[in-house]
Amino acid sequence: MLDDELKLLHSLYLELGATTILAAALFGVYFFIARKRDKRVPWNFFALFIVTVVLYFILILDESELPFLQGINLWQSVSLWLKFSAYLTTTFFFIKAIDLVVVEDFLIAKKGFYVPQLLRLMFMIAALAVAGLIFLRTVMGINVIALVAIPTALTAVVGFALQDTIKRFFAGITLGKLVR
C-alpha cells in the first residue's frame, strides 16, 4: 500500500517537474529574445504564464490518484474548460516563441525582410483560432462545423446587404485609376 502511494507521489512530482521545466523553457525563449532586443517583457505576458502554469498544476493534481488529493476532484465540465484554457494559452506561447525566433529574429533581423506588425498579429490570431477549434473538438467534444457555419452565414448576409456599397467602392477605385 505504501509502495503504491510512493510510486504515485513520484509520478506526481515527475509530472509537476516536467510541466515546470517546459513552462520555464517557453518563457525563457521569450525572455531571452526580449532581452536580446533590449525590450521589457510585458507584465501581462508574465501573468498569463503564471496562470497557465497554475492551470496545469490544478489539472495534474485533479488527475492524481493519491488518497490525500482525492478532495480536489473537479466537475467534469470545469476540468474540460481548464484543459481547453491551458492548451490554448500554451499554444499562444508556442506561436509567440515561433514568431519571435523565426519572424523577428531570423526574417527581420538577419535577412532584412519587412514583415508588418499587423500581418504578424493576423497570423497569430488565425493560428489561435485554428488551435481553438481543434481544442474545442478534441478536448470539449463540441462539433466545430456548426460553429464555422454560423459566421459563414452571417458573412453572406452582410455581403448581400452591402452589395451596392461594395460595387460603388470598386467602381471608385477603377475610376481613380482611369483619372490617374
Side-chain angles (χ1 to χ4, degrees):
M1 180 77 172
L2 186 62
D3 192 37
D4 292 336
E5 287 183 12
L6 284 175
K7 287 181 183 178
L8 290 173
L9 188 63
H10 176 71
S11 69
L12 176 69
Y13 284 149
L14 188 63
E15 288 178 14
L16 291 173
T19 302
T20 305
I21 289 171
L22 287 174
L26 271 176
F27 188 75
V29 167
Y30 185 80
F31 187 78
F32 174 73
I33 291 176
R35 288 292 181 193
K36 188 176 171 183
R37 301 257 180 262
D38 293 328
K39 294 181 182 176
R40 295 187 58 193
V41 178
W43 66 269
N44 54 359
F45 192 84
F46 184 70
L48 186 64
F49 168 75
I50 296 297
V51 167
T52 304
V53 171
V54 168
L55 284 176
Y56 275 112
F57 283 177
I58 291 171
L59 288 170
I60 289 171
L61 292 175
D62 180 50
E63 294 175 358
S64 175
E65 297 176 6
L66 286 169
F68 60 88
L69 292 175
Q70 292 301 318
I72 297 182
N73 288 336
L74 297 173
W75 293 325
Q76 182 67 23
S77 62
V78 172
S79 177
L80 290 176
W81 279 107
L82 286 178
K83 281 182 187 178
F84 175 77
S85 301
Y87 293 168
L88 197 60
T89 55
T90 303
T91 304
F92 168 75
F93 286 119
F94 275 120
I95 292 169
K96 190 66 177 170
I98 289 170
D99 177 60
L100 287 173
V101 171
V102 174
V103 176
E104 190 170 319
D105 199 40
F106 182 72
L107 291 177
I108 295 174
K110 291 185 180 169
K111 295 291 184 181
F113 290 129
Y114 173 70
V115 181
Q117 186 67 27
L118 181 64
L119 183 65
R120 293 170 62 186
L121 180 65
M122 288 176 60
F123 169 73
M124 186 172 298
I125 290 171
L128 280 174
V130 168
L133 289 174
I134 291 170
F135 294 144
L136 278 175
R137 179 69 181 142
T138 57
V139 175
M140 305 292 290
I142 296 173
N143 185 6
V144 294
I145 302 298
L147 294 176
V148 173
I150 293 170
T152 305
L154 288 176
T155 304
V157 168
V158 170
F160 283 126
L162 296 176
Q163 187 174 9
D164 291 333
T165 307
I166 293 171
K167 284 180 186 176
R168 289 184 191 129
F169 176 74
F170 285 114
I173 290 176
T174 307
L175 182 63
K177 286 181 183 178
L178 290 175
V179 170
R180 199 179 319 152

